[in-house]
Amino acid sequence: MPISTIKARLPYDAATIWRIITSSDDYRWRSDIARIEKLSDKQFMEHTHSGYATLFTITISQPFERYEFDLENENIKGHWCGLLSERNGQTEIIFTETVFAKKWYLKPFVKTYLRKQQSVYLKDLRQKLLETVR
């Protein structure tokens, strides 16, 4: 199973970052998402602009520290783990995604796909943080 991890140190407190990354209502900052549909306290569905729907099931939610969920759509199945660690007014984030391709012909592209998705997510998050703190 391909694993991809992205790390960053952001000059914001963990509570602010937590509020942004865990909100199913405020998602318009995400350039890759058309909408999020909240199904329950533990499940939500993300819909991309191209029509793909991915189901997320929250498995761990430790405010300001750890957020994890399982994810699945017609092409992939996996797990995402987000760790936050605040020190001296900055927060280090470590986001790790492990994904299994359901279709054999997608397997060679999964690692590249994960890296691209994580890069876009971090870029969008940095922009949202800039707008939030202004």
Side-chain angles (χ1 to χ4, degrees), residues 66-105:
R66 185 181 203 100
Y67 189 52
E68 294 190 36
F69 46 74
D70 293 330
L71 57 108
E72 184 170 7
N73 64 30
E74 64 186 68
N75 293 320
I76 60 172
K77 183 175 184 172
H79 188 78
W80 185 91
C81 175
L83 302 174
L84 291 80
S85 176
E86 183 181 342
R87 189 165 67 216
N88 299 327
Q90 294 191 3
T91 301
E92 179 181 57
I93 59 168
I94 303 171
F95 296 158
T96 302
E97 195 162 4
T98 306
V99 172
F100 169 77
K102 291 181 172 183
K103 299 170 183 168
W104 65 268
Y105 57 86

Side-chain angles (χ1 to χ4, degrees), residues 3 11 13 18 20 24 33 39 59 62 65-66 68 77-78 86-87 96 99 101 109 112 118 120-122:
I3 298 172
D13 62 281
W18 178 265
I20 292 168
S24 59
I33 299 298
L39 304 174
T59 57
Q62 297 171 334
E65 294 178 15
R66 185 181 203 100
E68 294 190 36
K77 183 175 184 172
E86 183 181 342
R87 189 165 67 216
T96 302
V99 172
F109 306 105
T112 303
Q118 287 181 323
V120 168
Y121 186 90
L122 184 56

Side-chain angles (χ1 to χ4, degrees), residues 26-59:
D26 181 17
Y27 58 84
R28 286 177 176 51
W29 60 274
R30 302 262 318 268
S31 63
D32 59 334
I33 299 298
R35 68 185 172 94
I36 294 179
E37 178 183 1
K38 186 173 180 177
L39 304 174
S40 71
D41 287 342
K42 294 284 186 188
Q43 287 191 317
F44 59 95
M45 186 86 67
E46 286 186 355
H47 300 268
T48 66
H49 297 286
S50 59
Y52 276 98
T54 302
L55 175 66
F56 294 85
T57 303
I58 299 166
T59 57

